[in-house]
């Protein structure tokens, strides 16, 4: 049985399709489900056809060579309400029926997931920063900046974040950023339980904006 690191339903459309003001997706959007396996395989199964304005027949009969690198699929998840952008896509099956439900499948080499809709930008996309969570390496980093004291009636907790560390590289800057999670900003917030976790991440900021492939290479090195 396949295991997925991401599986969510939502609306999907060609990234350059215009969206009317006040709408979450264009009229041409199609429902479907996006699945990402543990090995990184990305598959989108649609409950319909994503018609292409440049050549409608390619929407049904096109193969991997019919989709240019500039053509991306954008989506909005139903469960998490996050936005998604599929890059470097190709057809992976489907069926057009005069009676019954038509469908099609796509695979993608890259998938971006964010909290906000992706802008309709040119191709290729450029990135100014890469952040890699250091989860699993906290013991190596010797994290332990949360101090607490407890009496019979009170608990006092204090966190002093370590100073961020930065290294200048030939093509940019590499930084270790410290922080804390599990607590929202605000005063006098009442709750029945509280969990605090110290965290750290590596930030890579290239001197010039870099392509996705370049940032993926740096991420693999991290």
């Amino acid at each position: 049985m396949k295991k997925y690191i991401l599986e969510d339903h939502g609306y999907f459309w060609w990234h350059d399709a215009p969206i009317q003001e006040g709408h979450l997706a264009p009229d041409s959007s199609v429902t479907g489900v996006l699945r990402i396996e543990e090995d990184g395989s990305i598959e989108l199964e649609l409950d319909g056809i994503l018609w292409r304005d440049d050549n409608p027949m390619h929407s049904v009969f096109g193969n991997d060579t019919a989709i240019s690198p500039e053509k991306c699929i954008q989506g909005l998840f139903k469960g998490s309400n996050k936005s998604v952008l599929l890059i470097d896509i190709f057809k992976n099956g489907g069926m057009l029926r005069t009676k019954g439900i038509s469908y099609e499948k796509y695979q993608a080499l890259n998938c971006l997931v964010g909290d906000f809709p992706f802008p309709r930008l040119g191709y290729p996309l450029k990135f100014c920063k890469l952040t890699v969570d250091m989860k699993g390496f906290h013991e190596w980093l010797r994290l332990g900046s949360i101090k607490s004291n407890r009496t019979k009636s009170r608990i006092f907790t204090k966190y002093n974040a370590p100073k961020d560390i930065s290294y200048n590289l030939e093509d940019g800057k590499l930084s270790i950023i410290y922080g804390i999670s599990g607590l929202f900003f605000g005063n006098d917030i009442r709750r029945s339980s509280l969990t605090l976790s110290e965290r750290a991440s590596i930030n890579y900021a290239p001197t010039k904006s870099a392509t996705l492939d370049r940032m993926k290479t740096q991420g693999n090195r991290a």
Side-chain angles (χ1 to χ4, degrees), residues 59-102:
S59 301
V60 182
F61 303 107
N63 51 31
D64 56 341
T65 62
I67 303 176
S68 64
E70 294 82 3
K71 204 72 173 174
C72 306
I73 295 178
Q74 187 160 181
L76 180 65
F77 288 143
K78 179 179 71 173
S80 63
N81 200 38
K82 290 183 176 293
S83 295
V84 60
L85 185 67
L86 300 178
I87 305 173
D88 297 322
I89 58 178
F90 54 92
K91 289 285 290 292
N92 189 36
M95 183 172 292
L96 178 65
R97 294 180 172 134
T98 56
K99 294 183 179 180
I101 299 176
S102 300

Side-chain angles (χ1 to χ4, degrees), residues 92-130:
N92 189 36
M95 183 172 292
L96 178 65
R97 294 180 172 134
T98 56
K99 294 183 179 180
I101 299 176
S102 300
Y103 70 94
E104 61 180 349
K105 295 181 180 180
Y106 290 88
Q107 284 192 322
L109 299 181
N110 297 293
C111 176
L112 304 178
V113 179
D115 295 323
F116 303 99
F118 290 91
R120 296 170 61 190
L121 300 176
Y123 186 91
L125 297 177
K126 295 292 186 70
F127 298 83
C128 62
K129 184 174 68 173
L130 171 69

Side-chain angles (χ1 to χ4, degrees), residues 110 127 129-135 137 169 171 173-174 201-206 210-222:
N110 297 293
F127 298 83
K129 184 174 68 173
L130 171 69
T131 300
V132 179
D133 193 345
M134 293 292 289
K135 185 177 181 180
F137 294 91
L169 308 177
D171 59 348
K173 179 179 290 187
L174 187 69
S201 61
I202 290 181
N203 281 10
Y204 167 68
T211 62
L212 179 58
D213 288 340
R214 175 67 181 278
M215 297 303 269
K216 286 174 62 178
T217 299
Q218 295 295 340
N220 291 334
R221 290 178 179 177

Side-chain angles (χ1 to χ4, degrees), residues 17-28:
I19 302 177
Q20 296 184 16
E21 185 176 355
H23 290 218
L24 295 176
D27 295 336
S28 59

Side-chain angles (χ1 to χ4, degrees), residues 87 164 176:
I87 305 173
D164 297 337
I176 299 178

